[in-house]
Amino acid sequence: MKGIQRDKNDMEFYIGMVAKWYWIVLITLALSLIFGIYRVLTLQNFYEARTVILVQPQNLPPDVVRTIVAEDTNIRITTLSQRIQSRTNLEKIIEEFDLFSGEGSQEMFMEDKVAVMRKRISVDLTRGRNRNADSFTVSYRGTDPVRVTQITEALAANIIDENLKLRESLVLGTNSFLEAELKAMRVKLVKTETGLKEYRERYMGGLPEQLESNLSILDSLNERLTHVRNEVRMSKERLDLFLQRANRPVDTTVDDVPVRSLSKEQELERLREELNFRLKRYTEFHPDVLQVKSAIRQLESEPDEVVAERPRSRPLSAFEQQRADLLAEIRMNEKERDALVAQIRVYKKRVEDTPKREQELISLQRDYDNIRSAYHSLLNRQIESQIAVNMEKQQKGGQFRIIDPARVPEKPMVPDMQKVVLFILVAGLGLGCGIVAMLELMMPTFRGAGSVEVYTAVPVIANIPTIEYGSGIKRFFLTRVLPVAGCLTTVCLLGTLLGLVYIKG
């Protein structure tokens, strides 16, 4: 059967529909109120206590004492929040305040208790202009308002204590690290300094800063060598001129004028020097060379006793004395020449090695300067760290201070009774109207003359009254008593619900 078309704006139709199925609306509303009363009686009130903690900067100016603790307050508060919500800390609070000690709590494991308590704790940041937290709020929710306040105070005290421990541990850890690094850097500095000192001592005289002095000394030695060579040349020329003027061979006879006596070794040395001198000027077969060789052989063949007595009985002549002096002068000049050549060779080597020494010294000096700079930097940081440690021990650094202590809550935060009552009423009326609408769709009827005219397109001339069957008492009960009783029951249930809400709220 098709649904009967009705005028949706016809209020008579809707009023008639509600009047027909009023008992269904009353029943669903009564059931909703009963369920609401049950929920209000069984729902547990949760109270919340809050405390506001101010993030206070350090008391000393930063240009006087520089802090070594990271000043990212957001990260620090997050770290502290995790610390106070650690299992160890929450277990202490649970045991201290004897939480979850009611019926059924014996079956809860400690992990469950800790998890429930973590859900009840919240830490909210209040950010300032620099995006760092100026303050933050610590709150806790529970069923007992007094105990909730005590737990909130304990959490705030824990977070303040943990902040002090965290800052102190950070500065102490930093100070210990800097001390260890400073000790290692000091050992490295001493080692580098010792190596630089040993290098300077090893190559003393050939260092880059001594180059000018070495060049000056080298010039002086070259000038002296030139002079000595001239002296040697001139001495040899005087000897040669002396021998040419004398025009006589080497004579070992005794003269009347005693000059000095010579031993065998001294005489042999003198004759060999004269032989070397003559070999430089003549060949081996020159008469003068042969004469000197003969004298050497004769002297070497004589016994030592005879030679030892010869100087006393046969002193040298003036000729031999002058020649010996010239030879001694030549020998002395040649010895000085050789010494000067050796010294010049040493100073030339120093000058030639100066660029190499300069590069090596620059490398050593650079390492030393870098290590010394790092050492002084670590030393300054270690001093600042020690000052920061003293500042934290005296609690002059950044601290947390309670500006709004926790108070005993007077009103439960959960549940919101007004929302509960509103939800129950809306749910009961909505469910009842829904059931009525569904029944009306399943059993369509005409409601008033207007509905008939709309359906048949024929005007209604007259209405036939409803024929009532049954006794008057039954009809009175159904039409009068039952609606009034239902309404009173619903009103009583609603009053009871509102009373309970008022008592618990």
Side-chain angles (χ1 to χ4, degrees):
M1 179 180 179
K2 293 183 179 181
I4 301 174
Q5 297 181 1
R6 305 180 181 91
D7 187 1
K8 294 182 179 179
N9 295 324
D10 191 358
M11 293 301 299
E12 184 182 356
F13 168 76
Y14 294 107
I15 294 173
M17 181 178 64
V18 173
K20 180 180 180 181
W21 306 104
Y22 72 94
W23 52 275
I24 294 178
V25 176
L26 291 177
I27 291 173
T28 54
L29 182 58
L31 293 176
S32 297
L33 292 174
I34 293 172
F35 176 77
I37 293 171
Y38 170 76
R39 289 299 297 167
V40 169
L41 291 175
T42 56
L43 278 178
Q44 198 169 19
N45 291 338
F46 283 90
Y47 298 87
E48 183 179 66
R50 292 173 173 267
T51 181
V52 180
I53 301 176
L54 177 66
V55 180
Q56 187 176 4
Q58 68 179 33
N59 297 331
L60 301 177
D63 54 347
V64 176
V65 179
R66 188 174 65 179
T67 180
I68 60 176
V69 180
E71 290 299 329
D72 194 340
T73 310
N74 299 337
I75 297 177
R76 183 148 52 100
I77 294 176
T78 302
T79 303
L80 294 174
S81 175
Q82 294 175 355
R83 285 196 176 190
I84 65 171
Q85 296 186 45
S86 63
R87 174 167 178 167
T88 304
N89 189 50
L90 294 182
E91 285 181 355
K92 291 180 181 179
I93 295 177
I94 291 173
E95 294 176 358
E96 179 181 356
F97 293 97
D98 193 21
L99 300 178
F100 307 101
S101 59
E103 296 182 0
S105 61
Q106 301 296 333
E107 300 178 356
M108 293 181 63
F109 296 101
M110 182 56 70
E111 291 83 355
D112 300 331
K113 296 178 181 180
V114 171
V116 171
M117 193 169 183
R118 280 176 182 165
K119 293 179 180 179
R120 296 180 179 181
I121 298 173
S122 62
V123 179
D124 301 321
L125 304 180
T126 303
R127 302 183 185 273
R129 295 181 179 179
N130 56 354
R131 301 185 63 84
N132 282 333
D134 295 335
S135 62
F136 60 97
T137 303
V138 180
S139 60
Y140 178 76
R141 287 187 295 177
T143 57
D144 187 351
V146 177
R147 187 176 294 179
V148 164
T149 306
Q150 294 174 352
I151 294 174
T152 305
E153 293 175 349
L155 291 174
N158 285 342
I159 203 169
I160 293 175
D161 294 339
E162 289 294 330
N163 177 59
L164 295 176
K165 293 178 182 178
L166 178 62
R167 292 183 65 90
E168 188 173 352
S169 64
L170 286 175
V171 296
L172 289 176
T174 304
N175 186 59
S176 300
F177 171 76
L178 290 176
E179 286 181 351
E181 289 295 318
L182 186 63
K183 183 178 180 180
M185 191 62 66
R186 185 184 297 112
V187 173
K188 188 181 295 186
L189 178 63
V190 171
K191 182 179 179 181
T192 307
E193 188 175 12
T194 303
L196 182 61
K197 180 182 178 182
E198 292 177 352
Y199 182 87
R200 287 183 171 275
E201 292 176 351
R202 186 184 309 116
Y203 297 105
M204 180 59 66
L207 299 176
E209 58 268 21
Q210 297 172 332
L211 177 61
E212 296 295 333
S213 176
N214 290 335
L215 290 175
S216 177
I217 294 174
L218 186 59
D219 292 339
S220 177
L221 290 175
N222 285 324
E223 292 178 359
R224 180 61 183 168
L225 178 61
T226 302
H227 177 73
V228 171
R229 284 176 176 173
N230 292 331
E231 291 290 332
V232 171
R233 180 178 56 80
M234 294 173 62
S235 298
K236 289 182 179 181
E237 290 178 353
R238 287 196 300 272
L239 179 61
D240 187 41
L241 181 62
F242 172 75
L243 294 176
Q244 289 178 0
R245 289 178 179 178
N247 195 16
R248 55 179 292 182
V250 179
D251 186 9
T252 58
T253 61
V254 179
D255 293 332
D256 295 337
V257 182
V259 179
R260 61 179 179 180
S261 61
L262 296 174
S263 63
K264 179 181 179 180
E265 290 78 6
Q266 292 175 341
E267 183 66 18
L268 284 173
E269 183 179 358
R270 184 185 65 79
L271 291 174
R272 288 177 182 136
E273 289 179 356
E274 186 172 350
L275 177 63
N276 292 333
F277 176 73
R278 293 185 179 275
L279 286 174
K280 293 178 181 179
R281 301 179 61 87
Y282 309 114
T283 63
E284 294 182 358
F285 303 101
H286 194 275
D288 292 343
V289 175
L290 294 175
Q291 187 177 7
V292 175
K293 286 184 177 181
S294 176
I296 291 175
R297 285 194 299 269
Q298 182 181 356
L299 186 61
E300 288 177 347
S301 62
E302 293 180 358
D304 293 340
E305 294 79 3
V306 176
V307 177
E309 294 177 356
R310 285 181 59 186
R312 291 190 293 270
S313 61
R314 300 170 58 189
L316 296 176
S317 63
F319 171 79
E320 294 294 337
Q321 180 64 44
Q322 189 175 0
R323 185 181 61 181
D325 292 340
L326 289 173
L327 289 174
E329 182 181 352
I330 293 172
R331 185 170 61 253
M332 183 182 64
N333 290 332
E334 288 180 343
K335 187 175 182 180
E336 184 179 359
R337 180 197 62 191
D338 296 339
L340 289 173
V341 170
Q343 288 183 351
I344 290 173
R345 189 181 299 111
V346 171
Y347 279 94
K348 279 186 177 181
K349 183 73 164 104
R350 290 179 179 179
V351 172
E352 292 173 355
D353 291 343
T354 297
K356 178 181 178 182
R357 300 287 175 258
E358 185 176 8
Q359 292 297 325
E360 294 175 351
L361 191 61
I362 287 175
S363 178
L364 292 174
Q365 188 68 37
R366 181 176 59 250
D367 295 341
Y368 173 74
D369 292 339
N370 292 336
I371 294 174
R372 184 178 63 178
S373 177
Y375 173 77
H376 286 296
S377 177
L378 284 174
L379 181 61
N380 294 332
R381 293 182 183 179
Q382 199 272 336
I383 294 174
E384 292 177 355
S385 174
Q386 188 63 43
I387 296 175
V389 170
N390 297 332
M391 181 181 67
E392 293 298 332
K393 287 183 179 180
Q394 298 178 12
Q395 296 185 6
K396 298 295 184 180
Q399 304 295 328
F400 292 160
R401 185 168 60 89
I402 297 176
I403 59 175
D404 189 6
R407 299 182 182 183
V408 179
E410 300 177 356
K411 181 180 179 181
M413 182 178 181
V414 177
D416 190 345
M417 293 302 178
Q418 295 179 358
K419 293 181 179 179
V420 170
V421 173
L422 182 61
F423 174 77
I424 290 172
L425 293 176
V426 172
L429 292 174
L431 181 61
C433 293
I435 294 174
V436 169
M438 184 179 63
L439 292 175
E440 186 65 23
L441 290 175
M442 293 175 62
M443 296 180 291
T445 56
F446 291 111
R447 299 297 178 190
S451 299
V452 176
E453 290 179 351
V454 171
Y455 182 74
T456 60
V458 176
V460 177
I461 298 174
N463 292 330
I464 300 174
T466 303
I467 299 175
E468 301 289 345
Y469 295 96
S471 62
I473 297 174
K474 181 179 180 181
R475 186 170 56 254
F476 178 79
F477 179 78
L478 292 175
T479 57
R480 296 290 185 273
V481 177
L482 187 59
V484 172
C487 291
L488 291 175
T489 303
T490 303
V491 171
C492 290
L493 291 174
L494 180 59
T496 304
L497 178 61
L498 294 177
L500 291 175
V501 168
Y502 177 79
I503 293 173
K504 298 198 68 175

